[in-house]
Amino acid sequence: MSYTIQISRVVVSYRTPVESDGGEWMDGDFRTIGGPFTTCETYDEDDAELWGSDVIAWAVDKVDATGVIEPSAYPLGDAVPESSWLNGRYEDPYEGDSKVTETSVRLLGDWSPEQRAEVFHAVTRR
């Protein structure tokens, strides 16, 4: 079985470059300043040993570490399709909305809709 967590990140700014007009707010638009970067975590034998063969606990720990908290659809039911994702954003403490890392996470592979829902519920309740 293949359980994969796909983590995608992009760094954006919601302000124009300081050189152009002093860093004015872009009225909901953004510019990409880094990325996109995508990585995948795949559950393996080592993970099974470390998490006591509990793929849900492994996924919750891995997904929780990304900082995502918002599901792509509400309400979360007892089953979540593979096309759904979780997202979150982190504003740089020094640059604010001039440097924001936006992260999205999808569970791909052999996850059942029910397993995906368990992970989504656990992460969004924190």
Side-chain angles (χ1 to χ4, degrees), residues 9-97:
R9 288 188 172 91
V10 64
V11 181
V12 299
S13 177
Y14 293 99
R15 296 197 174 270
T16 59
V18 174
E19 305 82 42
S20 65
D21 60 9
E24 294 295 318
W25 175 250
M26 295 174 67
D27 292 327
D29 202 4
F30 66 91
R31 61 188 174 89
T32 302
I33 57 177
F37 310 101
T38 299
T39 60
C40 292
E41 296 273 345
T42 303
Y43 186 75
D44 60 23
E45 292 174 11
D46 293 335
D47 295 323
E49 186 177 324
L50 289 171
W51 275 271
S53 297
D54 186 349
V55 70
I56 302 297
W58 168 78
V60 169
D61 285 349
K62 293 290 184 177
V63 172
D64 195 42
T66 67
V68 297
I69 55 171
E70 296 287 328
S72 61
Y74 288 102
L76 283 176
D78 295 334
V80 171
E82 186 174 46
S83 60
S84 296
W85 67 90
L86 293 160
N87 62 53
R89 53 183 280 149
Y90 170 78
E91 285 189 14
D92 184 281
Y94 300 104
E95 297 187 46
D97 61 5

